[in-house]
Every structure is written in structure tokens, then in C-alpha cells.
Amino acid sequence: GSDVCRRWGLGYAPGRGQLVAQLRSKGFSAAELVSADLAMERSGRLSDRFYERVMFPIHDELGRTIAFGGRILGAKSEGVAKYVNTRDTPAFNKGKHLFAYDKAKESMAATAEAIVCEGYTDVIAMHEAGFTNTVAALGTAFRLDHVRLMERQRVSRIVCLFDGDAAGQRAAERAVRYLDKTSAALLCVVLPDNQDPMEFLASHSADEMRAQLDAARPLMDFVFGKLGERSDVSTPAGRARALEDACRLIYPLRDSYMIDTYYMQIADRVGADPDMVRASAARVFA
């Protein structure tokens, strides 16, 4: 709806040099346009960095526009990226900023909860449904700097609302490495039928989404559960594969004070002796 587009400053980049011409007419230099990643120089000529894409402005925590995400219209064709994001510039670092953090920070502080989605449209749908403490990483994996940014609002729960596909599960596995680096509980929700948050909210109420969030599982429980699903732990070969996968997963946590607890959890999941898990972990870590 147009009201949503206005609230979020959504727009369209036609390309064909129109942005370069507009900004040059306002006195911006070629060097400034390239430095801001709004233009590219090819054979001595400037061309628009974004073209034929819906544009999502990205703001810093004060609400100043510092970058853009551009999404193709319609179905993705071969060789064309679905999203193109501003590269790192003097004003923007994708590993240190979160989409909608400027809109979400007060709600995070008020609820002591942060919700992390994977896409711009998911964040917008969540905010429009009343979940105004929602953010997303910007074309990159969820990083420790993102955790630190949310911690500034004194959150006690970080709920990772990942897509139900394989990419969402990999994102959950990558986030495990931050478990011992934050005082906030890292939790995980995967919506039914592999839906993303926007799809879920299109056919479910905000109360139903709240129920999903309230039932969030500890991130490690979810990830270990998925490892068990990928391998048949009733067979020796499947158990060995699941054990090795689990040990690789907890490698970033090898110096954590919780490491013995993780060994016990793995042992329970794969039906192995804890000493066997410790021995396997030592081999994998080495």
C-alpha cells in the first residue's frame, strides 16, 4: 500500500543514468557519487549503481539515510542478483548497521526484546503488524557487532526469526558462535510451512505471530535438533556424521565455560557417551 511506501521511504531506481544526471545537476562530483556507491565509473563514464529496482533506504541510528538496498521486480532471472546493496562506504558498514534500527531501538529498550529477520520486507511487515522491535542484517550474516548494537538497548532476549529453508537454518548455525559473547538469551523461531515473516503475517494475525515468538527455542537446542534430523543417528555411520557435524558447530565455543554442557547435549542428541563426544571434539578442533 502507498501509505506503507511513504512511511518507509520506498522508491524505484529506473537506471539509465537518471540518478547520475540528477545528482550532477545538484553539484555533486563524480568522486562523491562513486564514494557513496551511487554510481560506477566505466570507460571514463558514470553509470547508475542501481537500476530497475525497488529501493529501500537504510538509516543510521539517528535516522539519516546512509545506504540503500535494491530489489528486482518480479521473478529473479538467471545471473541477476535478487538484491543489490550499497557496498561499504565512509558512511556505511553493513557489518555494523541493522535495517530499521533507528525505528526499532526505543521498542527494543521498552520490551527488552529484539527480533531479527532476514529481509527488508519481513521487517516492514513485522513493524506494520505492531512488532516494532524488529530489525534485519544488511546483505550479510548476523554478526557480533549487530549483537553489540542491540545490547545497547539492554535487551535480554534476541529472537532470530529465520526463514524455514536451508539458508535460514545455516543462518541459525552461524549465530551459535555468539552464545557466550552476550548476556542476552539467543532464541530461534522457524515459522511453519517454511514461511517467511511477511508470508506468515499475510495469512495469520499478530496474536498468532506473538504466540510463535513466545514459543521461541534456545538457539542451541534448535540447531542440535536440526543436526539430528539431517543424519540417521540410529545407525553407526549416521551417529558418527551427526557427532562430527555437532563438534564443528561448537568449534567457535571451544573456550566457553559452557563447553561441557554442550558436550552433554550432543551426547544426548546422538546417543553417545560424553567421553566419546569429548574425544571426537578434540579431533575435530585439531
Side-chain angles (χ1 to χ4, degrees):
S2 59
D3 287 344
V4 175
C5 292
R6 290 190 186 97
R7 276 195 291 275
W8 289 84
L10 307 187
Y12 179 69
R16 296 179 292 281
Q18 293 187 52
L19 181 61
V20 167
Q22 170 78 356
L23 294 177
R24 291 303 298 268
S25 74
K26 292 182 176 292
F28 290 98
S29 69
E32 286 172 321
L33 298 189
V34 171
S35 179
D37 200 33
L38 292 171
M40 299 178 293
E41 194 164 5
R42 292 175 177 159
S43 303
R45 299 186 61 181
L46 286 181
S47 60
D48 291 354
R49 170 88 161 88
F50 299 96
Y51 52 90
E52 296 178 359
R53 290 179 181 270
V54 175
M55 300 299 292
F56 298 82
I58 296 161
H59 306 113
D60 66 11
E61 62 185 273
L62 299 179
R64 299 174 298 192
T65 303
I66 55 172
F68 293 93
R71 189 195 190 283
I72 58 168
L73 284 172
K76 178 181 178 299
S77 57
E78 190 173 350
V80 176
K82 182 177 180 180
Y83 282 99
V84 171
N85 301 290
T86 299
R87 301 185 185 99
D88 287 353
T89 71
F92 171 67
N93 183 310
K94 62 179 175 288
K96 296 182 182 296
H97 292 95
L98 289 164
F99 179 67
Y101 181 74
D102 59 311
K103 295 178 182 289
K105 61 182 182 178
E106 290 184 7
S107 184
M108 285 183 190
T111 61
E113 179 185 66
I115 302 168
V116 182
C117 293
E118 293 190 74
Y120 305 129
T121 54
D122 294 326
V123 172
I124 293 172
M126 290 289 285
H127 275 251
E128 293 294 320
F131 301 97
T132 54
N133 54 339
T134 306
V135 293
L138 296 158
T140 184
F142 187 43
R143 295 183 180 178
L144 183 58
D145 281 331
H146 297 139
V147 175
R148 296 280 183 258
L149 193 57
M150 289 181 281
E151 282 182 327
R152 284 163 53 180
Q153 306 308 322
R154 302 185 185 279
V155 298
S156 58
R157 283 167 49 99
I158 297 175
V159 181
C160 299
L161 190 55
F162 293 126
D163 294 354
D165 58 12
Q169 291 173 24
R170 287 195 298 273
E173 291 178 10
R174 286 193 297 267
V176 161
R177 68 189 67 188
Y178 309 129
L179 281 171
D180 67 338
K181 297 176 178 63
T182 176
S183 60
L186 275 175
L187 307 169
C188 184
V189 172
V190 172
L191 297 170
D193 302 322
N194 287 349
Q195 292 179 309
D196 62 34
M198 188 176 73
E199 291 169 337
F200 183 87
L201 286 167
S203 56
H204 297 79
S205 68
D207 287 342
E208 289 173 296
M209 175 61 83
R210 183 71 260 173
Q212 293 284 334
L213 296 170
D214 289 343
R217 298 168 59 187
L219 185 63
M220 189 64 91
D221 287 356
F222 167 78
V223 169
F224 281 160
K226 288 298 178 183
L227 289 178
E229 290 175 14
R230 290 207 296 265
S231 301
D232 182 2
V233 295
S234 66
T235 67
R239 192 178 304 118
R241 185 163 52 251
L243 181 55
E244 182 167 329
D245 286 346
C247 290
R248 291 185 187 281
L249 180 72
I250 64 170
Y251 175 74
L253 302 170
R254 61 196 178 281
D255 296 324
S256 169
Y257 70 95
M258 291 285 290
I259 192 66
D260 283 335
T261 301
Y262 300 142
Y263 289 155
M264 295 294 289
Q265 286 181 284
I266 294 170
D268 288 342
R269 290 284 183 180
V270 303
D273 182 87
D275 289 336
M276 182 190 299
V277 176
R278 288 187 183 88
S280 295
R283 288 196 300 274
V284 171
F285 294 174

